[in-house]
Amino acid sequence: KDLSLSICGKNPVSGKLISSGASGNHTYTIESVVNGQVELNGADFVFNPSIDAGKAEFVYMATDIVTGCSSRAKVAITVHE
């Protein structure tokens, strides 16, 4: 599921990736990152922006362990000064 976050400066932000599916058991992978770095542990993430202000984002893939179905979502982050 797409998410939208706002943060101040180069402060890290953490959260949980959201997905739905038949089994409720998913794996997560990061596909792309713009203006930062993402650390991923299961569904939990920490995003560290590399800009002082502007737009950042990352795209992740959630895959249902049982059915193999996957879906892609984006986390959009607005970095304020």
Side-chain angles (χ1 to χ4, degrees):
K1 180 177 180 180
D2 288 350
L3 302 171
S4 181
L5 306 169
S6 291
I7 61 174
C8 291
K10 286 187 176 179
N11 297 308
V13 62
S14 60
K16 186 175 276 301
L17 302 177
I18 300 171
S19 61
S20 61
S23 75
N25 296 312
H26 299 88
T27 59
Y28 299 90
T29 54
I30 301 299
E31 293 200 325
S32 64
V33 182
V34 176
N35 291 328
Q37 296 179 343
V38 180
E39 297 172 29
L40 190 60
N41 183 10
D44 298 320
F45 71 87
V46 176
F47 179 82
N48 291 290
S50 62
I51 55 173
D52 294 321
K55 302 287 183 185
E57 68 180 45
F58 66 92
V59 175
Y60 70 93
M61 177 74 74
T63 303
D64 188 299
I65 295 170
V66 175
T67 66
C69 292
S70 11
S71 61
R72 183 174 288 114
K74 178 170 73 172
V75 178
I77 301 149
T78 300
V79 181
H80 299 280
E81 288 186 39

